[in-house]
Amino acid sequence: MAEMPLIRTTLLLASIAAFGLAAAGSAPAADRVQQTVNVAASDSGSRFVPLGIGKSVVIDLPRDVKDVLVADPKIANAVIRSARRAYIIGSTVGQTNVFFFDHSGQQIIGLDIAVTRDLNGLRAAIRQALPHVDIRVEGLGEGVVLTGVVTSPLEAQTAYDIASRLVDDGRKVVNSITVSGRDQVMLKVTVAEMQRDVIKQLGIDLNGSIGSGTSVLSFNNTNPFPVYGSALVTGNGITSRFNNVNATLRAMERAGVIRTLAEPNLTAISGESANFLAGGEFPVPAGYTCDPVTRNCQYQIQYKKFGVGLNFTPVVLGEGRISLKVMSEVSELSTDNQLTLTQQVSATETTTLTIPSIRTRRAETTVELPSGGALAMAGMIQEQTKQQINGIPGMMQVPILGQLFRSRDFINRQTELVIIVTPYTVRATAQKNLSRPNDGFADAADPQTYLLGRLNRLYGVPSPKPQDKISYTGKYGFILD
């Protein structure tokens, strides 16, 4: 009976010892169970292969292939014909990857396939149109990207136009072509005009009455001179009075010459627009607003530009040829056809507003010229003659004496206008090589102004170098009096 507890104690100690040994050996076993996870294939080491729709590429493998993985067979498919040769065929636009494995499961090669539209026809068309230009055509999804360096914007635009025509949607063409050394164009425009006016007015104003008693003939024949609008000088004339008849002889003549010369110059980068205006703005009423409470009305004013204006867009086509879109304008204020507005301010007060007209010469066109070549962009020769005779019916047709009862108004205008454009391809230069109109200008001293009536002294110029000496001894400067 006494041996039973001893046996149970021995068994318990043995169990505890066995459990301890098992626990001690379990830690190394757990460490052996943990394993490192390795990525057998990924895009990090893949080779990029561009492929067109319906096109194929042949891949030669360094060792025998056992397994092939295609991520998206709808975009590209891999066909194995031998142990070391594979065919990749493009199906639709998109991107996918292909991995090849050997018998041991190791990756042989990974390919990153980009299937785009077939661009060989586009490359051939651009190469044929621009054989001396290196323009690269790459596909990006369903679009096309043009890259490279050209010497003129025309070449870049030509490549873009070809790609837009051959691609189904021209908006999917990205033009990343770089234009090296964009040219700058200076445009010199000369506007020359000569105008001559000859106005002749001759007439006799008759007014008075003839008769006595209840039978009196009253008449008033004042010459309106409708061609010019009024008499040149209203106060001039020779007046004679006979009984109740006043006769005033008006004979006037005017001849005038107008010479206009404008030479605006402007420089712009090829392909960019430039504007130039030397003139001013004058106010023109554009309606008026009234306060309903005070009933005070105010004009709304707009400003109209006038002067010498130039707007052009140059495009250097290469080989010294320049395409120009030019708009040149010379305008000035004129009293001809001016508008006079009269407004009743109050019961006893009126205001008069005179709006002048604008005499404009404008030309707009597109021309193509070589650098330094001149072209008469616009020209006009115009001669206008107006003549009108007014008088008393019947009496004005009487020979010789009919001149007393009629007036003659005659205007003759002759105009000759020419606009010449000259483009130059220019480069930047040092400031010391440029001159200004005020170089060397100096105000006259007080004694020179009071005693000699001078407004400015002679221009001062730097002493010429020995090799630059000239024999000219006359006056020089921007202002010569």
Side-chain angles (χ1 to χ4, degrees), residues 200-217:
K200 297 180 180 180
Q201 295 179 341
L202 176 63
I204 297 179
D205 297 343
L206 295 176
N207 61 83
S209 58
I210 301 176
S212 61
T214 59
S215 300
V216 178
L217 174 61

Side-chain angles (χ1 to χ4, degrees), residues 324-460:
L324 294 174
K325 183 178 180 181
V326 188
M327 194 283 290
S328 179
E329 176 181 319
V330 176
S331 57
E332 59 188 357
L333 299 181
S334 175
T335 57
D336 297 339
N337 303 320
Q338 66 181 8
L339 180 62
T340 301
L341 301 177
T342 302
Q343 181 183 8
Q344 190 74 29
V345 179
S346 62
T348 59
E349 183 181 358
T350 59
T351 59
T352 302
L353 180 63
T354 301
I355 304 174
S357 62
I358 299 180
R359 184 171 175 267
T360 305
R361 284 81 75 202
R362 181 187 298 117
E364 183 175 359
T365 185
T366 301
V367 295
E368 182 176 325
L369 295 172
S371 178
L375 178 66
M377 185 181 71
M380 180 187 68
I381 297 177
Q382 180 182 11
E383 183 173 1
Q384 185 181 45
T385 301
K386 296 181 181 180
Q387 185 172 209
Q388 187 168 341
I389 297 177
N390 298 323
I392 299 176
M395 301 297 293
M396 60 182 293
Q397 279 81 23
V398 177
I400 301 176
L401 295 179
Q403 183 63 41
L404 301 176
F405 304 95
R406 67 174 179 262
S407 63
R408 178 192 180 216
D409 197 5
F410 172 81
I411 294 179
N412 178 258
R413 285 180 175 171
Q414 297 175 347
T415 302
E416 184 173 358
L417 170 69
V418 63
I419 300 177
I420 302 174
V421 295
T422 307
Y424 299 91
T425 54
V426 295
R427 296 289 185 270
T429 185
Q431 186 177 4
K432 64 180 180 180
N433 297 329
L434 302 177
S435 60
R436 302 188 304 269
N438 62 335
D439 287 344
F441 178 81
D443 293 325
D446 290 343
Q448 293 178 336
T449 303
Y450 294 145
L451 301 178
L452 303 178
R454 290 184 179 177
L455 299 178
N456 61 278
R457 289 181 289 184
L458 291 179
Y459 278 20

Side-chain angles (χ1 to χ4, degrees), residues 1 22 46 100 118 122 159 164 175 181 255 258 320 326 371 394-395 439 457:
M1 298 295 295
S46 297
F100 297 90
D118 185 16
L122 177 57
S164 300
N175 188 1
I258 300 177
V326 188
S371 178
M395 301 297 293
D439 287 344
R457 289 181 289 184

Side-chain angles (χ1 to χ4, degrees), residues 5-190:
L6 180 59
I7 295 173
R8 291 178 180 179
T9 303
T10 303
L11 291 175
L12 178 60
L13 293 175
S15 300
I16 293 173
F19 180 76
L21 292 175
S26 63
D31 292 339
R32 289 194 298 270
V33 171
Q34 293 179 356
Q35 297 180 358
T36 302
V37 178
N38 297 323
V39 178
S42 66
D43 288 337
S44 59
S46 297
R47 181 180 300 177
F48 177 75
V49 177
L51 194 61
I53 299 177
K55 299 290 184 176
S56 61
V57 63
V58 180
I59 305 297
D60 288 331
L61 302 174
R63 54 184 185 271
D64 294 346
V65 62
K66 175 63 177 178
D67 191 12
V68 179
L69 173 63
V70 180
D72 191 349
K74 295 181 180 180
I75 296 177
N77 194 10
V79 179
I80 304 298
R81 292 298 184 184
S82 64
R84 295 192 178 188
R85 174 164 291 185
Y87 303 91
I88 309 298
I89 303 173
S91 301
T92 59
V93 176
Q95 291 186 344
T96 186
N97 51 13
V98 180
F99 296 100
F100 297 90
F101 301 93
D102 57 10
H103 290 274
S104 61
Q106 298 296 323
Q107 176 184 348
I108 301 176
I109 191 174
L111 301 178
D112 188 4
I113 308 297
V115 181
T116 61
R117 61 177 71 244
D118 185 16
L119 302 177
N120 290 333
L122 177 57
R123 293 188 181 98
I126 294 178
R127 192 180 304 111
Q128 183 178 2
L130 303 170
H132 304 292
V133 178
D134 183 16
I135 296 179
R136 295 179 295 276
V137 182
E138 302 295 339
L140 181 61
E142 297 183 358
V144 175
V145 180
L146 304 179
T147 57
V149 180
V150 296
T151 58
S152 68
L154 179 62
E155 296 175 344
Q157 185 64 34
T158 301
Y160 177 77
D161 293 340
I162 294 175
S164 300
R165 292 292 183 89
L166 298 182
V167 175
D168 298 336
D169 189 355
R171 293 176 297 180
K172 296 181 179 180
V173 178
V174 179
N175 188 1
S176 298
I177 300 176
T178 303
V179 180
S180 62
R182 300 181 66 183
D183 294 319
Q184 297 184 106
V185 178
M186 184 190 74
L187 182 65
K188 177 181 179 181
V189 177
T190 301

